[in-house]
Amino acid sequence: QVQLVESGGGLVQPGGSLTLSCTASGILFSAYAWAWFRQAPGQGRDLVAGITYDGKTTVADSVKGRFAISRDNKKDTVTLQMDSLKVEDTAVYYCNARFVPDWDKVNGLWGPGTQVAVSS
């Protein structure tokens, strides 16, 4: 049984930081490309950052320079470090696994999501 479980969401003030983690089970972690998507209320699900099986990263322009994605193939974990958070970063953040890093497509395996709220 494949399970992706996100953790680390919460409420933070503008300018603050959060670290999201996604732990996978029932899946050969190292064989997949991994990503974080987010979905704000009334909006579509958009790529935040992705990382290929060999470590190449893609980061959305809206978070470039503030967010960073990494993976640990020994711990079957993908992490999103979020710094200098803005109110507009408020969304549900989803962990995603896929074989092909076609980041413009909303497909693959998904976690249940974790809420990130940025507010003063």
Side-chain angles (χ1 to χ4, degrees):
Q1 181 182 359
V2 177
Q3 269 195 318
L4 308 182
V5 180
E6 302 97 339
S7 62
L11 174 63
V12 64
Q13 292 186 338
S17 297
L18 281 175
T19 303
L20 303 184
S21 295
C22 174
T23 300
S25 59
I27 191 172
L28 183 57
F29 183 92
S30 60
Y32 285 78
W34 290 86
W36 289 92
F37 282 70
R38 69 185 181 187
Q39 188 166 16
Q43 304 290 321
R45 193 170 293 191
D46 298 319
L47 176 73
V48 177
I51 186 166
T52 62
Y53 77 97
D54 58 351
K56 294 177 184 175
T57 62
T58 299
V59 181
D61 287 343
S62 59
V63 303
K64 200 164 289 183
R66 300 188 296 119
F67 291 13
I69 187 171
S70 60
R71 61 187 295 163
D72 186 333
N73 289 342
K74 293 181 179 178
K75 295 182 179 179
D76 291 356
T77 298
V78 58
T79 299
L80 183 69
Q81 178 63 42
M82 305 188 294
D83 298 320
S84 302
L85 281 158
K86 303 177 180 181
V87 171
E88 51 264 41
D89 295 320
T90 295
V92 177
Y93 284 69
Y94 295 92
C95 178
N96 172 260
R98 59 184 68 196
F99 281 123
V100 179
D102 47 352
W103 304 126
D104 59 325
K105 293 183 174 61
V106 183
N107 59 15
L109 305 172
W110 298 93
T114 186
Q115 177 71 53
V116 171
V118 185
S119 174
S120 54

